[in-house]
Amino acid sequence: MDLENQKRVKDFADEYGAENLVVLLGGAEAEAAGLAAETVTAGDPTFAGPLAGVDLGLLVYHVVEPEVKELFDSAVYDEQVGMMEMVLNVDEIIEEMKEIREANCKFL
């Protein structure tokens, strides 16, 4: 997650309260999505950005997770995500997100 997005997330958490935010990710690889999820939950693991050492504990999901996918109109989801979902390792992404949520989210 780049430094500008880290700042945005931190500012929103300060303004609205971390308990009122949900972060929705769409990274194509489990490792990249996991790094972003770790950043908004436990803090920037590279200690380079605004979230370095900031334990927000935000609730975080990936767009391909079933509990998120079911919230979308299926035609819109298929149009916007369907093609990518076919080439992603969805099971690996889901597992990565679940592990990070269970370990670091304060608002489950």
Side-chain angles (χ1 to χ4, degrees):
M1 176 175 287
D2 68 32
L3 303 182
E4 186 175 319
N5 283 335
Q6 285 189 39
K7 182 175 180 346
R8 285 186 186 127
V9 169
K10 186 175 185 310
D11 289 347
F12 284 136
D14 291 342
E15 183 174 350
Y16 300 107
E19 69 279 4
N20 296 313
L21 297 180
V22 175
V23 176
L24 184 61
L25 301 173
E29 297 176 358
E31 187 175 341
L35 184 60
E38 184 178 352
T39 299
V40 300
T41 58
D44 183 357
T46 67
F47 294 99
L51 292 177
V54 179
D55 180 15
L56 292 176
L58 297 179
L59 190 54
V60 60
Y61 288 94
H62 194 283
V63 71
V64 299
E65 291 185 89
E67 54 266 60
V68 173
K69 184 177 176 179
E70 71 184 22
L71 299 172
F72 292 99
D73 176 278
S74 61
V76 173
Y77 186 90
D78 288 343
E79 180 183 323
Q80 298 297 318
V81 183
M83 292 295 288
M84 281 303 298
E85 192 178 33
M86 286 190 262
V87 298
L88 299 177
N89 187 335
V90 173
D91 293 336
E92 188 176 297
I93 291 170
I94 290 170
E95 184 60 32
E96 180 80 8
M97 299 305 293
K98 183 179 175 183
E99 286 177 14
I100 289 170
R101 265 195 311 275
E102 289 174 356
N104 302 316
C105 286
K106 297 177 183 177
F107 308 104
L108 287 175

